[in-house]
Amino acid sequence: MARPIMIQGTMSNAGKSILAAGLCRIFMQDGYRTAPFKSQNMALNSYITSEGLEMGRAQVVQAEAAGIRPHVDMNPILLKPTTDVGSQVIVHGISRGNMKARDYFAMKRSLIPEIMASYERLSNAYDILVIEGAGSPAEINLKSDDIVNMGLAKLVDAPVLLAGDIDRGGVFAQLYGTVALLEQEERQRIKGLIINKFRGDRSILDPGTAMLEQLCGIPVMGVVPYMDVDIEDEDSLSARLDNGQAPGLVDLAVIRLPRISNFTDFNVFSRIPGVSLRYVSRVSELGMPDLVFLPGTKNTMDDLLWMRQNGLEAAVLKLAHKQVPIWGICGGYQMLGEVLRDVSGVESAGGREVPGMGLLPLRTEFQEEKVRTQVEGSLGELDGVLAPLSGRCISGYEIHMGRTSIDREHGAMDTAMLVSWRREPVICRPASYVMEVQDTDQQGCERKRVKEDGWNRGNIYGAYIHGMFDHPGIAETIVSSLAARKGISMDEVREGDYEAYRQQQYDKLADVLRSSLDMDAIYKMMGL
């Protein structure tokens, strides 16, 4: 059975996910078979595994740091907020529908057997499990039915490291207050405190850490500096979404939808010299970018209406008229079409129909069964500024409730954006597309299907595929094409290996944590 260690935080966004990823990397470097685990994750950033199952991206990042393939057992419960008081509940990678928060709270303990089944499978396969908590363990109104913090730590008998965020201020009160609100048995599980995101001279903290240790009776096992590492963030609390960046030589604008999902699609652009990646939520922030991205969203119709009400839709349409490239992904792709229909009430009770932006000849129908599949393919013969992308290979994944069809009569002069090979388990059954079965493996559990996907009209581009910009050369070709249009030389733009870059970032993270944490004490608390 694997040895567990759990990272909990004094609040959301205290740095649990990054700390867990760093520990995964350290343990992997030290020769241990390591896997991440988070029993319940609430996030709009998700990923589709090779089995066609959905899980939170934070555990995908941690699995990458550990050098292993992501598996849905690493995140058995995923909650994707659909409204302020409800979420889509995904268990072992498959949606069980939308639930109000009160209803989910009343039934979540019934999911403990499924959580433990995932945990035990991982425990039998690995040496160490790095467990991430959620929010704070001191939410006293939620503790009685906790399945993700101290409740889980008790179930799996895990020692706990408690992290506080000094960058937000009040870190000593955070840590002491959290410990004080726990039951005695829970306090005894906390074996070490971590002060995270520190800037400045460590010695200035020494009197405070000594007093904190005395008050809590728990050692401070590290002061982690504010790290300059480029690793995917967990959710919409990400500092990446703050719009404080000035336009660069090539300026990319992402519409920051209220229910934005999978904004990690655009992270690759932020590491290219001379490129600004701005998240825009008001017309006054939009300006005249070189390209506008319409990202994924958990509620396409409501977010389109939000754009319509605050003037962003009209502003984007004006940019499109001026031949500024517009690229929609998933929900953003659906918005570009003529109409969106939700007869079954998938996104909203009672069902409705909403006109789209009218930039592509698309009709989208929302259905209760979710499409979940990994994709490989190649881009077609594209028009417009981004024509240099034509024929380039891509890979990624699809995750959506809508099925989008092309109005061939009105889109006769346009082109399919790509031809894709879809690798999908039979369980997905996305039957709304007409596709030719090309191959079935010996177990009959995977099919390869080829189809035309996405659509291109001039400088308007759209597709369902997440993660395609991470494929080697895609982001760089987009940037160099936009630069060339402006007559700008982008000598710094090179065809980079984004996967190699990410691995370098994980190693950099591990180096910082090794120098900041008492790893000998951490190994000792785990019995290693």
Side-chain angles (χ1 to χ4, degrees):
M1 301 294 285
R3 302 294 179 92
I5 183 169
M6 189 170 194
I7 310 296
Q8 296 185 12
T10 56
M11 64 180 77
S12 295
N13 213 32
K16 298 183 292 292
S17 297
I18 294 295
L19 291 173
L23 287 176
C24 283
R25 191 63 161 197
I26 289 172
F27 295 142
M28 183 271 283
Q29 290 173 340
D30 290 350
Y32 291 98
R33 296 172 302 163
T34 305
F37 184 77
K38 187 168 185 175
S39 58
Q40 173 191 288
N41 197 353
M42 177 176 282
L44 286 175
N45 285 345
S46 61
Y47 174 83
I48 299 301
T49 69
S50 58
E51 297 85 8
L53 301 173
E54 187 174 3
M55 62 182 289
R57 284 199 67 92
Q59 282 61 63
V60 173
V61 168
Q62 292 158 7
E64 288 178 351
I68 60 174
R69 182 175 63 88
H71 191 279
V72 74
D73 276 341
M74 298 169 188
N75 175 212
I77 301 173
L78 175 63
L79 305 178
K80 300 185 74 172
T82 53
T83 67
D84 291 340
V85 295
S87 295
Q88 184 181 66
V89 179
I90 297 164
V91 180
H92 284 151
I94 300 174
S95 173
R96 295 193 179 178
N98 296 339
M99 296 185 71
K100 293 182 179 179
R102 181 181 297 275
D103 296 332
Y104 174 74
F105 183 77
M107 61 78 67
K108 66 179 182 177
R109 285 191 65 84
S110 67
L111 297 174
I112 288 177
E114 301 193 62
I115 291 171
M116 293 307 298
S118 287
Y119 182 88
E120 289 167 6
R121 284 191 289 268
L122 292 174
S123 186
N124 286 326
Y126 293 93
D127 301 319
I128 295 176
L129 295 185
V130 179
I131 307 170
E132 181 188 343
S136 165
E139 303 291 349
I140 55 179
N141 57 316
L142 302 176
K143 282 175 61 178
S144 61
D145 292 307
D146 175 55
I147 60 172
V148 67
N149 286 310
M150 285 300 177
L152 178 64
K154 182 177 181 180
L155 285 171
V156 302
D157 193 22
V160 174
L161 294 173
L162 179 66
D165 179 2
I166 195 172
D167 196 53
R168 291 186 177 182
V171 72
F172 297 115
Q174 292 174 36
L175 291 165
Y176 176 70
T178 299
V179 172
L181 286 171
L182 297 176
E183 304 296 331
Q184 182 61 32
E185 179 187 0
E186 295 170 332
R187 291 187 201 121
Q188 291 174 349
R189 291 201 173 275
I190 301 179
K191 304 302 181 183
L193 307 175
I194 297 174
I195 294 175
N196 198 21
K197 306 182 188 178
F198 178 68
R199 307 173 195 249
D201 184 347
R202 161 69 194 273
S203 64
I204 297 174
L205 279 183
D206 289 345
T209 56
M211 186 176 296
L212 183 65
E213 289 180 336
Q214 183 178 9
L215 287 169
C216 295
I218 302 170
V220 174
M221 288 198 174
V223 176
V224 178
Y226 201 100
M227 292 181 282
D228 181 22
V229 292
D230 186 8
I231 294 175
E232 286 186 10
D233 311 279
E234 159 121 34
D235 53 31
S236 58
L237 291 174
S238 170
R240 294 177 188 269
L241 299 185
D242 294 337
N243 182 36
Q245 189 176 11
L249 293 175
V250 172
D251 183 34
L252 310 178
V254 182
I255 303 301
R256 184 178 176 176
L257 303 170
R259 298 165 186 84
I260 186 172
S261 65
N262 290 76
F263 60 82
T264 51
D265 284 336
F266 313 108
N267 286 359
V268 62
F269 292 102
S270 64
R271 71 177 183 89
I272 300 178
V275 174
S276 57
L277 181 66
R278 300 183 296 115
Y279 287 84
V280 173
S281 55
R282 293 189 293 271
V283 173
S284 60
E285 299 170 347
L286 185 57
M288 188 68 179
D290 298 303
L291 183 148
V292 176
F293 287 115
L294 296 178
T297 165
K298 194 62 190 69
N299 194 313
T300 305
M301 288 184 168
D302 281 351
D303 281 0
L304 176 57
L305 293 175
W306 171 83
M307 285 183 61
R308 194 159 287 164
Q309 291 163 0
N310 72 6
L312 271 172
E313 180 192 34
V316 170
L317 290 173
K318 287 180 182 178
L319 290 175
H321 182 70
K322 294 177 181 179
Q323 299 305 307
V324 172
I326 313 295
W327 192 311
I329 299 177
C330 199
Y333 172 48
Q334 295 168 345
M335 291 180 183
L336 293 173
E338 300 285 350
V339 66
L340 299 93
R341 300 184 71 241
D342 183 18
V343 176
S344 302
V346 173
E347 285 201 346
S348 59
R352 57 180 167 170
E353 181 175 307
V354 172
M357 298 175 70
L359 292 174
L360 290 177
L362 313 173
R363 297 180 63 87
T364 296
E365 300 269 354
F366 290 93
Q367 298 182 16
E368 294 183 0
E369 188 173 23
K370 181 181 290 187
V371 174
R372 309 180 310 271
T373 181
Q374 292 190 349
V375 175
E376 293 181 6
S378 61
L379 292 164
E381 291 298 318
L382 302 186
D383 293 330
V385 177
L386 302 182
L389 285 172
S390 298
R392 299 298 295 262
C393 293
I394 59 96
S395 61
Y397 57 95
E398 294 186 21
I399 174 174
H400 50 93
M401 307 296 287
R403 273 58 163 183
T404 297
S405 58
I406 309 298
D407 183 345
R408 291 288 179 178
E409 180 179 351
H410 294 93
M413 300 302 293
D414 306 327
T415 58
M417 198 159 113
L418 56 91
V419 175
S420 64
W421 289 91
R422 300 161 56 89
R423 286 176 167 79
E424 53 200 5
V426 174
I427 194 172
C428 292
R429 297 185 302 276
S432 59
Y433 291 120
V434 177
M435 295 179 282
E436 179 184 356
V437 177
Q438 298 292 320
D439 187 26
T440 303
D441 67 7
Q442 291 180 352
Q443 290 74 34
C445 63
E446 184 177 283
R447 295 176 180 173
K448 294 180 181 179
R449 299 170 180 258
V450 64
K451 67 182 287 286
E452 290 185 343
D453 203 353
W455 207 245
N456 168 221
R457 170 182 283 175
N459 284 323
I460 309 300
Y461 309 86
Y464 270 117
I465 300 175
H466 296 289
M468 63 186 299
F469 302 133
D470 291 349
H471 198 87
I474 298 298
E476 289 82 357
T477 300
I478 291 173
V479 170
S480 60
S481 299
L482 296 173
R485 186 189 199 192
K486 299 171 72 173
I488 296 173
S489 172
M490 293 290 288
D491 293 334
E492 301 93 342
V493 178
R494 299 288 184 269
E495 297 241 343
D497 185 340
Y498 191 50
E499 176 58 28
Y501 173 78
R502 283 193 295 209
Q503 296 302 321
Q504 293 169 0
Q505 295 301 302
Y506 293 136
D507 287 336
K508 184 178 179 181
L509 171 62
D511 290 344
V512 174
L513 291 190
R514 280 189 190 275
S515 64
S516 305
L517 300 178
D518 187 345
M519 289 305 302
D520 288 340
I522 290 173
Y523 273 121
K524 185 177 179 179
M525 76 168 62
M526 299 166 63
L528 295 172

